[in-house]
Amino acid sequence: MSTINPKASSGGEEEASGMRSKTLGESICSGKVERGQAILVAYLIATLELTFLFMQTGVMPYLARSLGLDSVGLGYLQTTFGVLQLVGGPIFGRFADQFGARAALILSCASGSVFFLLTSISTSIPLLFLSRLPAVFMHGLPGAQKLITDLTTPSQRTDALGKLGLCFGTGIIIGFALGGVLSTKFGIFVPVYVGLVGNLINTMIAMVCIPLQAKPKSDHHVTEHSKYLVIREILRLMKFPGVMEVFIVKVFAGLPVGLFLIMFSIISMEFFGLEAVESGYLMSYFGVLQMVVQGLVTGKLTNHCTERTLLRLSVFIFASVGLGMALMRTVWHYCIVAVPMVFAFGTLGTITDSILTKAVPSSDTGTMLGICASVQPLTQTVGPTIGGVLYKQFGVASFGYLQLIVNIGLFVYLLKSKIPLREMKSQ
């Protein structure tokens, strides 16, 4: 008859418990590594897609002119692109919620491939306009934001989203420079061919390197009758506490500056007297500022300030930017004003995206990011008309005065309102 040794039994249990703890620790560590790698891939995809997009943006006026399109027609072409992105943003966001960030990024990269393919065979103006159609689903930056949102905790989100500013700045610097070099030395269509090959590679990266299930199972409660009704989804999300208020601030705080930037190609020639090469240098300067501010400064600030504080700070700085724009007379004045302008733009965009994704259920973050991504296309759509009237009728200073007035009003509104925010700092 055998007996059980209590000490042996206890030792076995402790050993088994230790093994389970070790296995759990290894699993958690492995999960963190995989999440970190997926986030790095998202940064890479966003950087490449933005680089190719800015590359074609820089050469598009010359390509359009070679096909016989005048400046008015080029404005229509840009407006078409903006309208398509505006319409596609919320649809892309809902797609990301339904099928995941991986599928959304694949869709964006594949759409970019079709976009560049159609542009490469555009031998007439109708074909050039037709090549804009895939822009409906070209939302690489919101796709990367969606993946990062799914893989980070709320306290880590602002810092992680802010680092996308490095991707944006890198895309501006490399894209415009590379597009100019390739088009000058090898032909106007060469940057388009490079963009086509690059987007195909980007699609393969998204398919191979991003996990199938980047987002854990969550409180997905979208009902069938509203599943694909994007307008109803937008209205539903705007009813969550604080969402409408923060979104209004996001849209209007940078709108006057956005109108100014849309008219900048004309302003740089007529008001500042810059040549094309000098304008390229100025764009590179903006890219460097974007990288430094969003990639480094914003992340540091989130460790020390709450989102409410940063939201108010960005609006206050935007108001001071308006005053600077109203008083500037030379390109050197503008280079000085550009520093707080880029800071306010980057901080406001990152903070509002972070706040809005935290304010809605995790199953709706893609749609929310898609709505946020529609703000810039909205400006591109109305910008040429409103910006043209302001510039021709009232001059460059009008953009600054409008910026000052709008943001003083928003700052007072933020001070008096009680918008519910999660008061947390990044860890």
Side-chain angles (χ1 to χ4, degrees):
M1 187 174 180
S2 61
T3 59
I4 299 177
N5 188 334
K7 291 184 179 180
S9 176
S10 175
E13 291 176 358
E14 290 177 359
E15 184 178 352
S17 176
M19 289 294 292
R20 285 195 297 270
S21 298
K22 183 178 179 181
T23 302
L24 179 60
E26 290 176 350
S27 176
I28 293 173
C29 182
S30 175
K32 288 182 178 179
V33 171
E34 289 179 359
R35 287 197 297 272
Q37 290 175 344
I39 291 174
L40 288 176
V41 171
Y43 289 144
L44 174 62
I45 290 174
T47 301
L48 291 175
E49 183 157 325
L50 288 166
T51 297
F52 302 137
L53 188 61
F54 285 121
M55 190 167 60
Q56 73 87 32
T57 300
V59 302
M60 185 50 60
Y62 304 97
L63 176 58
R65 186 181 300 173
S66 70
L67 296 177
L69 200 64
D70 58 13
S71 58
V72 176
L74 181 61
Y76 290 146
L77 188 69
Q78 293 172 332
T79 300
T80 301
F81 185 87
V83 170
L84 289 169
Q85 289 247 297
L86 176 64
V87 172
I91 299 174
F92 180 85
R94 176 47 59 190
F95 178 89
D97 283 332
Q98 296 293 323
F99 300 102
R102 178 178 181 270
L105 281 170
I106 292 172
L107 174 64
S108 176
C109 296
S111 299
S113 301
V114 177
F115 173 86
F116 279 98
L117 175 62
L118 292 175
T119 305
S120 69
I121 61 173
S122 295
T123 55
S124 64
I125 293 175
L127 278 176
L128 189 61
F129 274 87
L130 182 65
S131 70
R132 308 296 98 178
L133 284 179
V136 172
F137 298 116
M138 287 172 56
H139 297 278
L141 193 60
Q145 289 175 323
K146 167 65 176 171
L147 182 64
I148 291 168
T149 300
D150 289 346
L151 296 177
T152 55
T153 62
S155 62
Q156 299 170 330
R157 189 169 301 165
T158 305
D159 185 30
L161 291 174
K163 286 184 172 63
L164 282 171
L166 286 169
C167 307
F168 195 87
T170 302
I172 290 178
I173 296 170
I174 298 178
F176 279 104
L178 187 60
V181 171
L182 291 176
S183 61
T184 301
K185 291 192 173 183
F186 303 105
I188 196 69
F189 279 98
V190 172
V192 180
Y193 300 144
V194 172
L196 171 59
V197 175
N199 272 273
L200 290 172
I201 294 173
N202 233 6
T203 306
M204 295 302 298
I205 293 174
M207 294 175 66
V208 174
C209 300
I210 296 178
L212 287 171
Q213 185 62 30
K215 181 176 181 177
K217 297 294 182 180
S218 61
D219 53 339
H220 196 90
H221 55 80
V222 180
T223 55
E224 288 298 320
H225 70 278
S226 64
K227 197 170 184 180
Y228 296 107
L229 299 180
V230 176
I231 300 299
R232 186 177 298 179
E233 287 296 300
I234 294 174
L235 296 176
R236 180 177 65 84
L237 293 181
M238 289 297 162
K239 293 178 181 178
F240 283 96
V243 171
M244 177 66 79
E245 294 88 343
V246 173
F247 188 72
I248 288 174
V249 173
K250 183 179 183 69
V251 170
F252 289 101
L255 182 59
V257 169
L259 299 176
F260 170 83
L261 293 176
I262 286 175
M263 300 297 299
F264 187 73
S265 59
I266 296 176
I267 293 172
S268 64
M269 289 187 294
E270 298 181 357
F271 186 77
F272 293 128
L274 299 181
E275 299 293 335
V277 175
E278 295 169 327
S279 295
Y281 291 151
L282 198 57
M283 292 304 298
S284 297
Y285 170 67
F286 290 155
V288 172
L289 286 179
Q290 183 85 20
M291 290 174 64
V292 172
V293 170
Q294 274 197 265
L296 302 176
V297 178
T298 303
K300 298 292 184 183
L301 285 176
T302 57
N303 294 327
H304 305 286
C305 305
T306 63
E307 291 175 336
R308 186 187 300 274
T309 301
L310 290 176
L311 183 62
R312 291 172 176 172
L313 176 64
S314 59
V315 171
F316 178 79
I317 292 178
F318 251 147
S320 65
V321 167
L323 181 61
M325 289 174 61
L327 299 176
M328 69 180 180
R329 295 293 179 268
T330 69
V331 68
W332 297 110
H333 294 162
Y334 182 56
C335 287
I336 296 172
V337 172
V339 176
M341 179 192 295
V342 171
F343 172 82
F345 248 130
T347 303
L348 182 77
T350 302
I351 293 300
T352 50
D353 285 350
S354 178
I355 292 171
L356 292 170
T357 54
K358 293 173 186 176
V360 300
S362 60
S363 57
D364 291 314
T365 54
T367 304
M368 193 71 252
L369 287 169
I371 296 170
C372 292
S374 298
V375 174
Q376 185 177 356
L378 174 64
T379 307
Q380 292 175 339
T381 302
V382 302
T385 302
I386 300 176
V389 171
L390 284 174
Y391 177 61
K392 290 179 181 178
Q393 298 296 325
F394 305 103
V396 172
S398 63
F399 295 100
Y401 288 122
L402 181 61
Q403 179 75 15
L404 177 63
I405 294 170
V406 168
N407 280 274
I408 287 177
L410 290 175
F411 185 71
V412 173
Y413 170 71
L414 286 174
L415 288 178
K416 292 187 175 182
S417 66
K418 297 180 179 179
I419 301 174
L421 300 179
R422 296 185 183 181
E423 295 291 343
M424 61 175 61
K425 303 172 187 177
S426 298
Q427 300 298 323

